Amino acid sequence: MNAPAVAMTEHANRRSGGRLGRKALRGAPVTSFPTLVREIPAYQMVPDEAVELIHQESLSILEEVGCEFRDDEAIALWKAAGADVTETRVRIDRGLLMELVSKVPSEFTLNARNPERTVRVGGKNSIFVPMYGAPYVRDLDNNRRYGSLADLNNFHKLAYMAPALHSSSSVICEPMEIAVPKRHLHIIHSALKHSDKPFMGIVTSKERAEDTMAMAGIVFGEEFVRDNPVLVSITNCNSPLVWDATMLDAMKVYARHNQPLILAPFALCGASTSASAVGAVAQVNAEALAGVAFTQLLRPGSPQIYGQFMVTVDMKTGAPMGGTPEAAQMMYLMGALARKYRLPWRTSGFHVGSKLNDAQAGYEANMLMHAAILAGANYIWHSAGWLEAGLTCGYSKFATDCEQLIGWYKYAGGLPFDDFKEAMAAIREVGPQGHFLGTQHTLEHFESAFFMPSIMDFNSFEQWKAEGAKDHDTRGREKARNMLADYEEPKLDEGVAEGLADFIARREEKLPDSVS
């Protein structure tokens, strides 16, 4: 990181809950916070011996049971690397596995079209990323309905305006009115047009991944995107122990372009894993490591993100649950393993099962974000908007999550001591029975000393009632509406905008209107 970027990061760690935070909460567009550099220690829930036990069992799973790679080219690559291959079953010697995993850089730069919004991933660095993949939205009138392209545009605008979000994601909600074969073009166009932050790719087919890279090439330059990370994409292992052809196709496109992938098993613990938190982690770790290793067969040294999505299953109904203590505990274990391997790692922050932006949503979100921060996660996904186990993105939830992220940003940045001497001088100045409201120290620090949210209400009951007795959900919708009213588009270069429009038009002519 260059010196100005370091200075910006250090400044943000001291001031992120101060002037910038309050300017953002008032609704005015602001510059994004730089990469969050965590200045608090990572918490390890179990001793090193327990981490080593899980590690060794994961290696044994891959050696003895193996993992399915359902793609001919993947099988050929594993054979050439010396793995034990029987049809699509790949058994990977632990030495080979760890040699490949060790090639992944521990940190990388994720470039934005606006260089001021470029971030670092890995090490002590963390970034917050909004949710992904909701077919439904809970709209500004609190109605649950299918998502549209207008909604997706709005969420990309909100992501751009939220200072503590470091990425615009991509499929925050599905634009359901657009035909599936053409939908990816409009998703990526929206992310590139309405925000100048890093974004996420499409992985539902090889061709859609290639289209994503072509559109990124129009914006960043084809030469640049051959080697420099500009987007992150998600690939999920089908637990238990299957990497399917669709995910492997996407992996091949992005890894060969040096674009980072999240290698994340999608585990419903108790259904697609054993009904054991530590047993689930051993399995998911094996699945993730197999995916990470495969990317290094495609392009050694390419940046990748070790990942997991682990939710417990309600053993009465089979429904996935969000912010449970076991989900948090598994997060701590995955963080310890990621540090062991020196891999950047992804988890989820605010993914909840609640249908509404209510107390349950708050309880669940706090359980998981606390674990994500203390476990040292680098790429904290689903950090804004998530409701109903990911089926719905809520406007109110998006706005209130973004406010909370400013607080978490300040929390993880650690306690600064840069004004401690002046604070002690203020005590001597005031003495007993006085107050500090008029001291020079207070006048200089009142805007930056404490996190002061605007959506949360701390007024008296009488003041709250006089202002309409609005609950948190209502205030969140109002905040989202006001942010959208204040939005100003970060314009693309005219030639780039025309190039994207032309590419989309040409591709749409060739693509069918429905899935055959």
Side-chain angles (χ1 to χ4, degrees):
M1 190 182 296
N2 59 33
V6 171
M8 284 178 65
T9 300
E10 291 174 349
H11 174 80
N13 282 339
R14 294 194 301 270
R15 297 294 199 186
S16 59
R19 293 184 181 90
L20 281 178
R22 275 182 294 290
K23 186 178 180 185
L25 297 176
R26 289 195 296 269
V30 298
T31 301
S32 289
F33 294 167
T35 308
L36 167 60
V37 179
R38 296 185 314 280
E39 297 295 347
I40 57 176
Y43 177 72
Q44 186 160 312
M45 181 169 279
V46 299
D48 290 342
E49 293 81 3
V51 177
E52 183 64 20
L53 173 64
I54 293 172
H55 164 68
Q56 293 297 336
E57 287 300 320
S58 297
L59 301 188
S60 294
I61 289 169
L62 291 176
E63 284 184 330
E64 298 166 12
V65 180
C67 187
E68 292 277 319
F69 282 79
R70 295 178 177 174
D71 172 80
D72 290 343
E73 185 181 4
I75 290 300
L77 287 168
W78 277 120
K79 284 182 178 177
D84 178 4
V85 177
T86 305
E87 297 181 345
T88 57
R89 181 75 64 90
V90 179
R91 293 177 174 85
I92 311 169
D93 173 79
R94 63 188 62 205
L96 171 61
L97 179 81
M98 296 315 298
E99 178 187 354
L100 291 169
V101 169
S102 70
K103 296 179 185 294
V104 177
S106 60
E107 295 185 28
F108 64 89
T109 297
L110 181 59
N111 297 278
R113 72 171 173 94
N114 178 352
E116 292 182 0
R117 301 183 190 256
T118 290
V119 293
R120 290 285 291 175
V121 180
K124 293 179 67 176
N125 305 301
S126 294
I127 63 171
F128 296 119
V129 183
M131 75 163 295
Y132 182 104
Y136 299 99
V137 300
R138 185 162 288 279
D139 65 20
L140 291 168
D141 296 315
N142 204 25
N143 297 313
R144 181 183 183 272
R145 56 171 173 76
Y146 280 124
S148 67
L149 182 58
D151 292 309
L152 182 63
N153 294 342
N154 282 342
F155 286 124
H156 284 147
K157 293 173 183 179
L158 291 172
Y160 164 68
M161 296 181 74
L165 283 176
H166 299 95
S167 166
S168 298
S169 188
S170 61
V171 199
I172 296 177
C173 72
E174 293 277 2
M176 299 292 282
E177 77 274 28
I178 299 177
V180 170
K182 303 177 180 181
R183 189 177 294 175
H184 65 289
L185 300 169
H186 297 275
I187 292 167
I188 297 302
H189 183 246
S190 178
L192 290 169
K193 172 182 169 65
H194 295 109
S195 174
D196 58 9
K197 297 179 179 182
F199 66 106
M200 295 189 71
I202 302 296
V203 296
T204 48
S205 75
K206 176 184 177 183
E207 292 74 19
R208 294 169 194 168
E210 290 171 339
D211 284 346
T212 300
M213 288 310 307
M215 294 174 75
I218 293 169
V219 173
F220 290 89
E222 291 183 6
E223 291 293 328
F224 190 81
V225 301
R226 286 198 184 102
D227 296 310
N228 297 284
V230 300
L231 58 90
V232 171
S233 301
I234 176 67
T235 50
N236 291 126
C237 179
N238 291 334
S239 298
L241 296 166
V242 174
W243 284 98
D244 67 28
T246 300
M247 294 292 96
L248 293 168
D249 275 346
M251 260 191 238
K252 288 184 280 186
V253 172
Y254 291 121
R256 284 170 171 157
H257 279 87
N258 210 45
Q259 302 302 313
L261 294 140
I262 301 170
L263 292 310
F266 187 94
L268 300 176
C269 300
S272 60
T273 76
S274 60
S276 159
V278 292
V281 169
Q283 176 189 314
V284 165
N285 184 46
E287 295 165 338
L289 289 177
V292 170
F294 179 68
T295 65
Q296 301 308 294
L297 296 179
L298 297 167
R299 181 163 176 166
S302 60
Q304 305 300 335
I305 301 174
Y306 167 89
Q308 51 86 19
F309 184 86
M310 301 174 75
V311 295
T312 54
V313 169
D314 186 329
M315 302 307 284
K316 300 187 298 293
T317 66
M321 299 188 290
T324 63
E326 293 82 10
Q329 289 170 333
M330 290 186 288
M331 214 180 279
Y332 285 115
L333 292 178
M334 295 300 287
L337 289 161
R339 289 191 294 277
K340 178 180 179 63
Y341 307 134
R342 300 185 69 253
L343 292 174
W345 74 284
R346 164 262 168 153
T347 193
S348 300
F350 284 155
H351 72 280
V352 303
S354 182
K355 316 304 179 289
L356 301 170
N357 190 17
D358 58 8
Q360 178 182 327
Y363 294 145
E364 292 186 84
N366 183 68
M367 175 73 75
L368 296 178
M369 185 59 80
H370 221 130
I373 293 293
L374 292 184
N378 304 116
Y379 192 96
I380 306 178
W381 200 13
H382 305 320
S383 290
W386 181 288
L387 287 169
E388 201 181 334
L391 290 175
T392 298
C393 184
Y395 279 83
S396 174
K397 182 71 161 40
F398 202 101
T400 58
D401 283 346
C402 288
E403 176 172 273
Q404 288 301 301
L405 290 178
I406 295 173
W408 283 108
Y409 193 104
K410 187 169 188 180
Y411 178 90
L415 275 171
F417 276 72
D418 51 356
D419 70 330
F420 187 66
K421 183 177 179 180
E422 291 85 353
M424 295 302 97
I427 295 173
R428 290 166 173 79
E429 176 186 343
V430 171
Q433 298 187 6
H435 67 77
F436 291 79
L437 296 178
T439 66
Q440 187 64 31
H441 179 266
T442 298
L443 293 174
E444 291 177 354
H445 293 87
F446 75 96
E447 282 195 303
S448 60
F450 308 116
F451 172 55
M452 293 194 294
S454 66
I455 303 175
M456 298 175 77
D457 187 285
F458 300 98
N459 290 324
S460 67
F461 175 82
E462 290 76 16
Q463 183 67 27
W464 170 74
K465 187 175 181 181
E467 293 178 357
K470 298 170 184 174
D471 63 15
H472 192 61
D473 189 36
T474 300
R475 294 194 301 272
R477 287 195 300 278
E478 289 183 352
K479 179 63 181 182
R481 188 178 281 109
N482 291 337
M483 289 176 70
L484 291 170
D486 289 337
Y487 171 79
E488 295 179 10
E489 184 179 313
K491 295 288 187 181
L492 286 160
D493 174 84
E494 186 175 342
V496 170
E498 290 175 357
L500 286 172
D502 179 66
F503 178 82
I504 291 169
R506 286 186 288 105
R507 288 294 292 139
E508 286 199 309
E509 285 183 3
K510 297 180 180 180
L511 294 169
D513 289 325
S514 62
V515 179
S516 58

